[in-house]
Amino acid sequence: MLQVKIVPVTAFAQNCSIVWDSVTKDAILIDAGGDAQRLRQEVDALGLTVKAMWLTHGHFDHAGAVGELNQYWDVPVIGPHQDDAFWLDMIQDVCARYHFPIPQPVEVTQWLKGGEVLTLGEHQFEVRFTPGHTPGHVIFYNAENKLLWTGDVLFKGSIGRTDFPKSNHAQLIESIQTQCFTLPDDTRFICGHGEMSTIGYEKQHNPFLSGKAG
Ligand SMILES: [Zn+2]
Ligand SMILES: [Zn+2]
């Protein structure tokens, strides 16, 4: 069975997901954004073996702990799309600007394009390309459990910011419509910040997408 523990990290309370198979105890981390020591403790307390770290996008609050964690784990770093490389290259500068601890550099093992299927044991995750918040953002969908990781594309009641370099609001809306809202209404999603929601709920209630916004 696939299990998930959401660990909010950094002052931005970014959701890092520890995802594992309950039988093999093999795990992946999605968006290890900070607080590397805390994430290591969580993984050790659960008795897991981390096999890879996956990234939805290159922002430091989603990738900041990857370099430090890989000094211990040395596992593949998978994602995001290569168009987010400039964000990962700036990660130390951006953290300095926000007065965050300067992280270790992030080295991506495999860039994604969308359409790939990533695996954790027998569990499959479809990669979907969702530019807009950043140009290289991807999301991960596990059809078996109707579970989606949306990063900073779609939140409960909100959507990602598009006031960054190379952000694009229209592209973000199109990504949500074509890559998120095409999934079943009872798909639950874990977003980069805040509570979980479902695709059906957001179609009805999200003011940025339902046409109710001013
Ligand atoms: Zn972001
Ligand atoms: Zn974020």
Side-chain angles (χ1 to χ4, degrees), residues 53 55 58 63 66 70 75-82 84-85 88-89 105-112:
M53 289 187 274
L55 296 176
V66 166
N70 248 355
V75 295
V77 178
I78 300 176
H81 186 289
Q82 195 157 14
D84 265 21
L88 291 169
D89 290 344
V106 178
E107 281 188 42
V108 172
T109 314
Q110 181 191 352
W111 299 106
L112 298 171

Side-chain angles (χ1 to χ4, degrees), residues 184-204:
D185 278 355
D186 58 347
T187 303
R188 293 175 303 144
F189 67 85
I190 294 167
C191 36
H193 308 263
E195 292 173 52
M196 290 182 72
S197 183
T198 67
I199 293 300
Y201 182 91
E202 298 311 313
K203 279 186 189 170
Q204 291 291 322

Side-chain angles (χ1 to χ4, degrees), residues 57 59 61-62 133 152:
H57 66 297
H59 279 163
D61 57 319
H62 295 254
H133 172 70
D152 282 355

Side-chain angles (χ1 to χ4, degrees), residues 27 31 42 48 66 104 110-111 115 119 125 134 162 177-178:
D31 286 356
E42 295 275 0
L48 306 177
V66 166
Q104 299 292 324
Q110 181 191 352
W111 299 106
T119 56
F125 301 78
T134 62
T162 50
Q177 297 287 1
T178 60

Side-chain angles (χ1 to χ4, degrees), residues 132-154:
H133 172 70
T134 62
H137 200 298
V138 296
I139 60 176
F140 305 110
Y141 177 56
N142 174 244
E144 168 197 8
N145 295 289
K146 289 189 187 165
L147 201 50
L148 175 71
W149 281 263
T150 60
D152 282 355
V153 168
L154 180 65

